[in-house]
Amino acid sequence: MNFLRSFLDNNSVFGRLMTRCGILIAANLLFVLCCIPVVTAGAGWAALYYVMLKTLYREPELNPFRTFLDGLRQNWRQGSAVFLIGAVLAGVLYLEHFWVSQAEGMVAMLRYPLLALAFAAAVLFCYLFPTLATFRGTLPQMVKNCIYFAVKRPLNLVLILLAHAVPIAVTCLDQVNQPLYVFLWCMCGFSAIAMFTSSLLLPLYRPYLQKEEGEEEAPAAEPPSEAQVLEEMEKLGM
């Protein structure tokens, strides 16, 4: 009985694992619900990262429902704006690529700049939502912060892109098992990717996070300065 009690205790390895799984599933379901109206998907995406980052940073046993709602409220305007801008940009890039793919000659060469632009946009949006969930500032400042964190750890950039691209590619290509993949996406797919991404970004965010243990909010006090961003860009010749 003592062994069973200690095994099921919240502080045991099994208890911590079950708590983490519960947070992943609850946050993922809330995110899926936010995606149903479409216009709230961006705020929900930022709120999902808000839950994952707070779980990893300081509160491994938080209430995922209350924390998600806090993140949703704090990132409502910027998250929704970023999602709408991204949706419009994706639509424009798709139409341009479709038009260019039908052309020949020099016009057909425009597909490569379009692909490069699409890649840059994908990188930006992979970093933008966790950055919005962590820091406070204007949208242009958040974009600069994303560039700073992306170029600071190129290996992290590759892993984050793979974490987003590989599950989507497998889901689209393996049509036989698509019902299983849809179930996994609805249960924990989005939150698992957000947790993995957050675990890679948190070491970069940590120097800018506030250290007061009694503080309610997890986001940072000071994001990277513009001088730091420009310095990282200059190192890459940008």
Side-chain angles (χ1 to χ4, degrees):
M1 288 296 295
N2 290 334
F3 170 78
L4 182 61
R5 188 179 297 109
S6 61
F7 179 75
L8 296 176
D9 188 83
N10 288 336
N11 294 323
S12 67
V13 175
F14 177 77
R16 291 195 296 269
L17 178 61
M18 291 298 101
T19 299
R20 185 64 57 84
C21 290
I23 292 174
L24 286 173
I25 293 173
N28 196 87
L29 291 175
L30 290 171
F31 171 71
V32 172
L33 288 176
C34 285
C35 290
I36 294 176
V38 180
V39 293
T40 59
W45 200 348
L48 179 64
Y49 274 103
Y50 185 83
V51 175
M52 298 300 107
L53 287 162
K54 286 199 75 172
T55 302
L56 292 173
Y57 177 57
R58 190 159 50 195
E59 300 182 29
E61 299 180 3
L62 53 76
N63 184 326
F65 299 97
R66 184 176 61 187
T67 306
F68 188 92
L69 292 177
D70 289 341
L72 194 67
R73 185 181 65 254
Q74 293 182 22
N75 297 283
W76 181 266
R77 294 179 61 184
Q78 286 188 326
S80 299
V82 168
F83 179 78
L84 292 175
I85 293 172
V88 172
L89 179 60
V92 171
L93 287 175
Y94 175 79
L95 291 176
E96 290 289 338
H97 184 268
F98 177 79
W99 175 72
V100 169
S101 63
Q102 307 300 315
E104 298 179 355
M106 293 298 295
V107 177
M109 298 297 292
L110 292 176
R111 72 182 63 182
Y112 300 108
L114 288 174
L115 290 174
L117 183 58
F119 176 80
V123 171
L124 180 61
F125 281 95
C126 284
Y127 277 77
L128 194 51
F129 286 99
T131 303
L132 286 175
T134 308
F135 301 108
R136 294 292 169 262
T138 63
L139 194 55
Q141 184 182 8
M142 293 300 102
V143 172
K144 293 178 181 178
N145 292 344
C146 291
I147 297 173
Y148 172 77
F149 291 123
V151 302
K152 192 173 181 63
R153 293 279 181 87
L155 179 59
N156 282 4
L157 170 60
V158 174
L159 293 175
I160 289 172
L161 289 176
L162 289 176
H164 286 77
V166 171
I168 295 174
V170 171
T171 301
C172 295
L173 295 176
D174 189 2
Q175 298 183 359
V176 176
N177 296 310
Q178 276 188 350
L180 173 61
Y181 297 139
V182 171
F183 173 77
L184 292 175
W185 279 110
C186 292
M187 289 300 295
C188 62
F190 299 103
S191 60
I193 294 174
M195 177 67 77
F196 176 76
T197 303
S198 299
S199 67
L200 293 177
L201 293 178
L202 186 58
L204 296 174
Y205 292 164
R206 193 179 295 275
Y208 308 100
L209 295 175
Q210 294 182 356
K211 304 299 182 182
E212 292 81 0
E213 293 297 330
E215 186 189 10
E216 284 290 328
E217 305 299 337
E222 290 294 337
S225 65
E226 186 173 352
Q228 290 174 304
V229 177
L230 292 175
E231 181 181 355
E232 291 293 333
M233 294 174 69
E234 288 177 358
K235 289 180 181 178
L236 297 179
M238 299 175 65

